[in-house]
Amino acid sequence: MSNTNIIAVYEDEQVLLKAIDSLQSNDVKVKDVFSPFPIHGIWDKLKQTTRLPYATFIYGAIGAGLVFAFLYWTSVVNYPLKFGGKPLNTLSFIIIMFVLTINIGTLLTFLTYFIREKMYPGKKVEMPVPRTTNDQFAIVIEKDADMNEDQLKKINSLLNDSGAIEVKESTVNYEA
Amino acid sequence: MYNTRVRGILIQGNKSYQDVSRDIIKPLNDKTPMWWWITAFLATGALFWGVWGFYNTITVGIGTWGLNNNVAWGWAIINFVWWIGIGHAGTAFSIFLLILRQKWRTSINRAAEAMTIFAVMAAGLFPLIHMGRIWDGFFIFPYWNTRGPLWDNFNSPLFWDVVAISTYFMASFVFWYIGMIPDFATIRERTTSAVKKKVYGALSFGWIGNARGWLRFETAALLLGGMAAPLVVSVHSIVSMDFSVSVVPGWHTTIFPPYFVVGAIFSGFGMVLTLMIVMRKLYKFKDYVTDGHLDAIARILTFISLIMGTAYLTELFMAWYSGSEYEMFTFMKNRVTGEYKYAFWTMLTCNAIIPQFFWFKKIRKNITMVFIMSLFINLGMWFERYVIVVTSLSRDFLPATWATYQPTITEIAVFSGTIGLFILGVLAFFRFVPTIAISEVKGVLKETTTLKSFTDEQH
């Protein structure tokens, strides 16, 4: 893996989307894109997916099971206390199960998100183009050691032709 | 498919992305304005009075309240339900409008969510304090104890309440915080102050805003929102069951859960309207919270107000139609007429009649009128809870025990304390957090400012 990236900076997300198309049709791999807000449709182009919904579903299912097990154990097994002639194992458990399923699902989804993103309070980061949190957009292309002059030239000219306001090389390792 | 662009231009003034960041962050960098200090001073005063009320209640006991054997629930539960209702706005705005793909939510959701957090905090104090012996509060947790172990009654709505409200608080907070992370990163990269860079840098959790980060962000927001949406419905349904599972006339009705949920969203939107008008005036956010936004909220309120009116009439009708003389007495003799009729008629006027003036465009466009009407809605929703709690309890089955209820100074102090807490929270939010979701506004900026070219494409 090389530490150097080629960065192209844009001022408009539509121009950036077209640039990605032109790069990809020329067999240049786009490594990453920076933007101040989510650009819909970009994930299809970069073939990025997330399994977060599956994780949430599993958390919720396990949570519901555990909560029911606890309610059943306390009310039926450990201290069966009859009141009002109602059954020990009652339908009204559903309410607590429902709410706590959401509780567990939310909390664990939140934590999973941060763990997968490697984010934590106080993390120090360096951004290749700091203005991408504000009003600029950037395409990142990894500069491989085995890229020859011609390939680099082609990438540079593609980026310049695509409407980038700046094309530069950066050694900022933002993935750390 | 949906036509989500019917609302026209959402952000006025042909803003660039740079303008959006600058405008919204500006109040955080400006000198703290005078109105802020004055309001903070007054709110702190109210909070201190509330602390006195708390102290009085805990050291002397619940006897410092105006409760009696019959009216065993008073201002504490009224205010609790009122605050929880207000706390429904944030999630209603963020999540229902997110699911319905209403893009106009972007300028408002952050403030509505902040309001939710502080309103739920204020609400949570009431169940805590009305226990009387607050030091035994941990009994509510189902922990392994030496009394059997005797577990909680998991069939009690009061226990459901605790579970639901703590979950609601946690879920709202998590949703609110995740939404703020990209904006904290924006401040981190823009600010020139070393302190701010450090603080907002820490709060931003190292957000960089790359494609995968945004993908997970969007997915997480949708998942958290999707899970919180049923929670909104369940929280206030559970609150209503505190009443409706009893056999007290006026409470024991099946209409309660939907009626409470709608009422909660009504009061929440009312409070959002109040707060938005204040915010856009003080921070000159007219380009972001446009007249169109206020108009949209007013229209929703008109509709919900009709549902409220229907609910009130349904209750009255059912009291007669059920043939239950106790129900009939509570509704007709003790609410519509009788000692507390002023409360009933205030409720009906503020919630079902006044918002109907929003049918007139002239009134919807007059921001002062809209503001006054939003205050009436907040008042009306308070009276609704007052009517439900006090009239049903003061005169129930046994005339010998009939009693009237007046709040004492301690109860008033506790209520004012929660108002102080809420206002201080909102002020802190105004001062230290971007009050509008910067990244979300940027996301809808282009497609709405270039609306004309979009509609041209459609034809």
Side-chain angles (χ1 to χ4, degrees):
Chain A
M1 247 190 68
S2 150
N3 284 332
T4 312
N5 291 316
I6 302 169
I7 313 251
V9 183
Y10 295 84
E11 280 187 326
D12 189 294
E13 72 272 23
Q14 296 304 329
V15 179
L16 175 131
L17 284 173
K18 282 193 189 114
I20 294 177
D21 286 341
S22 88
L23 286 168
Q24 284 178 335
S25 59
N26 282 288
D27 290 330
V28 179
K29 194 168 173 288
V30 176
K31 183 174 149 196
D32 214 339
V33 170
F34 283 84
S35 61
F37 56 84
I39 306 171
H40 293 270
I42 206 160
W43 304 306
D44 289 340
K45 288 189 201 297
L46 300 184
K47 297 196 176 54
Q48 288 182 335
T49 52
T50 170
R51 288 167 296 168
L52 202 55
Y54 300 107
T56 304
F57 179 78
I58 292 166
Y59 298 148
I62 293 175
L66 285 178
V67 172
F68 176 73
F70 179 75
L71 293 175
Y72 186 85
W73 180 73
T74 51
S75 309
V76 181
V77 180
N78 185 250
Y79 198 120
L81 180 66
K82 274 264 182 203
F83 53 90
K86 295 183 189 98
L88 292 171
N89 183 21
T90 72
L91 255 184
S92 60
F93 285 170
I94 287 177
I95 294 177
I96 295 176
M97 286 168 64
F98 176 82
V99 174
L100 284 182
T101 302
I102 294 173
N103 188 321
I104 293 165
T106 302
L107 205 61
L108 292 181
T109 305
F110 183 68
L111 292 176
T112 310
Y113 168 72
F114 286 125
I115 291 167
R116 287 295 289 161
E117 276 289 292
K118 298 194 189 81
M119 283 165 67
Y120 51 86
K123 183 184 176 188
K124 294 245 181 319
V125 283
E126 207 182 342
M127 301 198 40
V129 186
R131 275 180 69 179
T132 52
T133 60
N134 184 9
D135 62 339
Q136 289 185 337
F137 305 81
I139 289 182
V140 180
I141 298 165
E142 192 169 330
K143 189 180 170 187
D144 274 333
D146 54 352
M147 276 184 179
N148 58 34
E149 278 296 305
D150 282 351
Q151 277 174 310
L152 288 176
K153 246 185 206 156
K154 192 179 89 181
I155 292 171
N156 267 318
S157 73
L158 278 171
L159 290 174
N160 281 318
D161 292 347
S162 67
I165 56 161
E166 190 189 352
V167 179
K168 63 178 183 184
E169 286 192 6
S170 162
T171 52
V172 169
N173 184 14
Y174 63 86
E175 285 165 311
Chain B
M1 272 304 278
Y2 304 102
N3 182 6
T4 52
R5 290 175 174 87
V6 287
R7 294 229 167 264
I9 296 175
L10 295 178
I11 314 295
Q12 306 241 315
N14 273 326
K15 306 272 181 199
S16 67
Y17 295 132
Q18 173 86 340
D19 295 337
V20 173
S21 313
R22 195 199 51 219
D23 288 353
I24 297 174
I25 297 175
K26 187 174 172 287
L28 274 60
N29 296 327
D30 284 351
K31 204 167 147 272
T32 312
M34 207 33 156
W35 59 260
W36 196 94
W37 286 115
I38 295 168
T39 322
F41 178 77
L42 293 174
T44 313
L47 183 64
F48 273 114
W49 196 30
V51 171
W52 170 82
F54 248 80
Y55 178 78
N56 207 14
T57 307
I58 292 165
T59 53
V60 181
I62 294 293
T64 53
W65 295 2
L67 305 175
N68 47 55
N69 278 348
N70 246 33
V71 190
W73 270 356
W75 268 40
I77 190 108
I78 296 166
N79 297 330
F80 161 74
V81 181
W82 189 67
W83 277 123
I84 284 286
I86 288 170
H88 272 53
T91 5
F93 247 101
S94 300
I95 290 151
F96 291 148
L97 297 184
L98 177 79
I99 293 166
L100 296 170
R101 306 186 185 200
Q102 294 294 318
K103 298 240 156 94
W104 59 276
R105 63 185 265 286
T106 50
S107 303
I108 296 171
N109 61 351
R110 173 74 47 79
E113 285 162 33
M115 211 184 76
T116 292
I117 307 282
F118 301 120
V120 174
M121 277 160 90
L125 292 174
F126 287 104
L128 210 64
I129 189 176
H130 102 293
M131 287 186 293
R133 295 175 191 161
I134 199 169
W135 49 91
D136 284 338
F138 64 92
F139 278 20
I140 198 69
F141 297 111
Y143 65 100
W144 188 274
N145 55 59
T146 51
R147 302 183 296 276
L150 189 61
W151 301 100
D152 291 273
N153 179 1
F154 297 118
N155 299 305
S156 161
L158 297 175
F159 181 76
W160 302 342
D161 236 4
V162 177
V163 178
I165 286 163
S166 41
T167 300
Y168 185 63
F169 180 74
M170 189 273 292
S172 310
F173 183 81
V174 161
F175 189 76
W176 187 53
Y177 196 84
I178 280 208
M180 289 194 296
I181 286 175
D183 292 358
F184 286 145
T186 307
I187 303 178
R188 177 191 73 202
E189 299 300 331
R190 273 178 60 97
T191 186
T192 46
S193 139
V195 179
K196 277 194 180 151
K197 204 175 182 75
K198 215 168 194 142
V199 173
Y200 288 108
L203 290 174
S204 72
F205 281 41
W207 172 262
I208 49 173
N210 57 347
R212 188 173 285 284
W214 278 120
L215 173 62
R216 290 198 183 119
F217 174 90
E218 286 273 281
T219 314
L222 203 62
L223 285 170
L224 296 178
M227 282 190 285
L231 199 58
V232 178
V233 177
S234 73
V235 167
H236 228 71
S237 299
I238 290 172
V239 169
S240 81
M241 284 179 210
D242 291 347
F243 299 95
S244 59
V245 297
S246 73
V247 292
V248 177
W251 291 2
H252 192 57
T253 53
T254 46
I255 197 181
F256 256 40
Y259 163 46
F260 266 52
V261 172
V262 171
I265 294 172
F266 186 60
S267 67
F269 271 52
M271 192 59 112
V272 164
L273 194 55
T274 312
L275 204 69
M276 277 301 136
I277 293 174
V278 173
M279 187 175 105
R280 100 187 192 129
K281 176 93 189 150
L282 292 173
Y283 284 154
K284 301 182 180 65
F285 277 161
K286 284 199 176 107
D287 290 338
Y288 297 94
V289 184
T290 60
D291 291 347
H293 285 93
L294 299 182
D295 186 67
I297 304 177
R299 281 162 192 252
I300 292 177
L301 281 172
T302 320
F303 175 64
I304 307 180
S305 157
L306 284 175
I307 305 183
M308 297 303 290
T310 314
Y312 297 146
L313 293 179
T314 309
E315 276 193 319
L316 293 177
F317 172 75
M318 287 314 293
W320 167 75
Y321 189 64
S322 65
S324 160
E325 51 197 292
Y326 302 107
E327 290 282 329
M328 197 61 185
F329 173 81
T330 301
F331 281 97
M332 300 304 175
K333 292 270 169 57
N334 216 15
R335 289 192 183 176
V336 178
T337 59
E339 195 174 5
Y340 295 105
K341 65 170 183 250
Y342 72 94
F344 177 85
W345 290 104
T346 312
M347 163 190 98
L348 200 73
T349 314
C350 293
N351 294 344
I353 298 168
I354 290 182
Q356 295 309 317
F357 286 108
F358 281 141
W359 285 101
F360 301 104
K361 198 171 183 178
K362 239 190 182 143
I363 291 181
R364 286 204 310 273
K365 295 282 168 213
N366 184 340
I367 303 301
T368 320
M369 277 301 287
V370 173
F371 183 70
I372 294 169
M373 282 164 73
S374 77
L375 292 179
F376 271 119
I377 290 170
N378 294 325
L379 182 77
M381 286 312 292
W382 190 88
F383 270 102
E384 181 194 299
R385 279 65 180 247
Y386 186 87
V387 167
I388 291 170
V389 173
V390 177
T391 59
S392 284
L393 289 176
S394 65
R395 295 183 175 204
D396 61 2
F397 300 103
L398 204 61
T401 61
W402 282 1
T404 51
Y405 167 76
Q406 290 293 330
T408 61
I409 196 82
T410 309
E411 282 169 287
I412 298 169
V414 170
F415 182 45
S416 95
T418 55
I419 293 178
L421 177 79
F422 177 76
I423 293 176
L424 278 178
V426 170
L427 284 176
F429 164 73
F430 276 179
R431 191 76 198 93
F432 302 113
V433 178
T435 45
I436 294 176
I438 302 173
S439 65
E440 290 191 49
V441 166
K442 283 177 188 161
V444 301
L445 189 64
K446 274 259 160 83
E447 57 182 287
T448 63
T449 43
T450 54
L451 184 82
K452 199 173 168 307
S453 63
F454 175 81
T455 40
D456 288 346
E457 268 170 48
Q458 290 274 294
H459 298 296

